[in-house]
Amino acid sequence: MQHRIKSKDKNTDNNINKLLTKEKKIINLKKKKKNGTSFLVNNLAKYLSSMGIKTAILELTTNRNSYYIYTKNQENLRSIACESIKKLRRGITEGITVDKNLEVYTGLPGEDLSLEDAKVIIDTLQKRYSAILIDCDFSTPVQYFKIAQEIYIVQTMDILTIQPMTSFLRDLKAKESL
């Protein structure tokens, strides 16, 4: 599945608005390393936030790009990042505040976050946010794909990435996630 938004397209706002209903949205963006998914997640989140939509980024990739992007090498932001997902498990929405409508939930790169409690984490986020963008990779637990209302696969046309992605999608389908 692929969704493209052209920045010079005069219908861009209408395309985004079709994705957003009065109901809350949970959107997974699945990636293979170095193909631009984190870039898309961050820019889509900033765009939604600028429209006044309460938005959360839930960073569930192994490399945790959001940690590096949003902590700005500041100790207080690194502390918030390291505790943000743990707090979600306890019902506390305390991520890195980017602006009044955007917060980021991530963890320390390389840290095992034990993400198997997807329902608790997502339920906590849904109480506060209208759009939840989940940055995922092959290591993200399947529960997050089952919960998502929409899943977007971001893939380069590199032949070496097609087989692992096809295998991943087959596994998701076998687990009745799609």
Side-chain angles (χ1 to χ4, degrees), residues 56-60 80-95 103-106 113 115 117-129 132 144:
I57 296 173
L58 180 58
E59 168 73 66
L60 300 181
I80 292 169
C82 290
E83 296 298 315
S84 64
I85 293 178
K86 294 172 189 170
K87 287 185 176 184
L88 287 174
R89 287 189 183 96
R90 297 192 314 259
I92 302 167
T93 53
E94 193 176 297
E103 286 191 356
V104 177
Y105 296 84
T106 186
L113 296 175
L115 298 167
D117 49 355
K119 183 159 179 21
V120 172
I121 289 171
I122 297 300
D123 284 349
T124 300
L125 289 169
Q126 278 186 305
K127 291 175 185 169
R128 183 166 179 185
Y129 302 99
I132 303 167
Y144 291 92

Side-chain angles (χ1 to χ4, degrees), residues 3 5 12-27 44-45 47-56 129-133 149-150 152:
H3 181 72
I5 298 174
T12 298
D13 289 340
N14 291 337
N15 292 339
I16 294 289
N17 289 332
K18 287 179 187 175
L19 292 174
L20 300 170
T21 63
K22 290 183 181 180
E23 298 134 27
K24 296 181 179 197
K25 288 287 186 182
I26 303 169
I27 302 169
L44 179 57
Y47 180 74
L48 295 173
S49 172
S50 74
M51 292 173 47
I53 297 167
K54 292 292 282 179
T55 305
Y129 302 99
S130 297
I132 303 167
L133 304 178
Q149 294 159 308
E150 298 178 21
Y152 294 89

Side-chain angles (χ1 to χ4, degrees), residues 27-136:
I27 302 169
N28 279 21
L29 285 98
K30 162 71 183 83
K31 69 178 175 182
K32 177 119 173 83
K33 286 184 182 178
K34 299 189 187 247
N35 65 3
T37 306
S38 293
F39 175 82
L40 291 172
V41 167
N42 292 319
N43 284 286
L44 179 57
K46 287 179 183 178
Y47 180 74
L48 295 173
S49 172
S50 74
M51 292 173 47
I53 297 167
K54 292 292 282 179
T55 305
I57 296 173
L58 180 58
E59 168 73 66
L60 300 181
T61 65
T62 305
N63 61 4
R64 308 243 184 3
N65 288 330
S66 292
Y67 177 85
Y68 297 109
I69 294 168
Y70 293 106
T71 60
K72 303 174 187 173
N73 205 25
Q74 295 177 12
E75 185 58 39
N76 63 324
L77 296 177
R78 287 195 302 260
S79 296
I80 292 169
C82 290
E83 296 298 315
S84 64
I85 293 178
K86 294 172 189 170
K87 287 185 176 184
L88 287 174
R89 287 189 183 96
R90 297 192 314 259
I92 302 167
T93 53
E94 193 176 297
I96 299 170
T97 301
V98 178
D99 63 42
K100 70 177 185 171
N101 292 316
L102 176 59
E103 286 191 356
V104 177
Y105 296 84
T106 186
L108 189 63
E111 177 185 24
D112 179 14
L113 296 175
S114 301
L115 298 167
E116 299 302 324
D117 49 355
K119 183 159 179 21
V120 172
I121 289 171
I122 297 300
D123 284 349
T124 300
L125 289 169
Q126 278 186 305
K127 291 175 185 169
R128 183 166 179 185
Y129 302 99
S130 297
I132 303 167
L133 304 178
I134 306 173
D135 197 355
C136 302

Side-chain angles (χ1 to χ4, degrees), residues 142 166-178:
V142 72
T166 302
S167 178
F168 176 79
L169 291 171
R170 186 176 31 248
D171 290 346
L172 275 181
K173 188 172 183 179
K175 294 174 183 172
E176 298 180 18
S177 297
L178 298 177

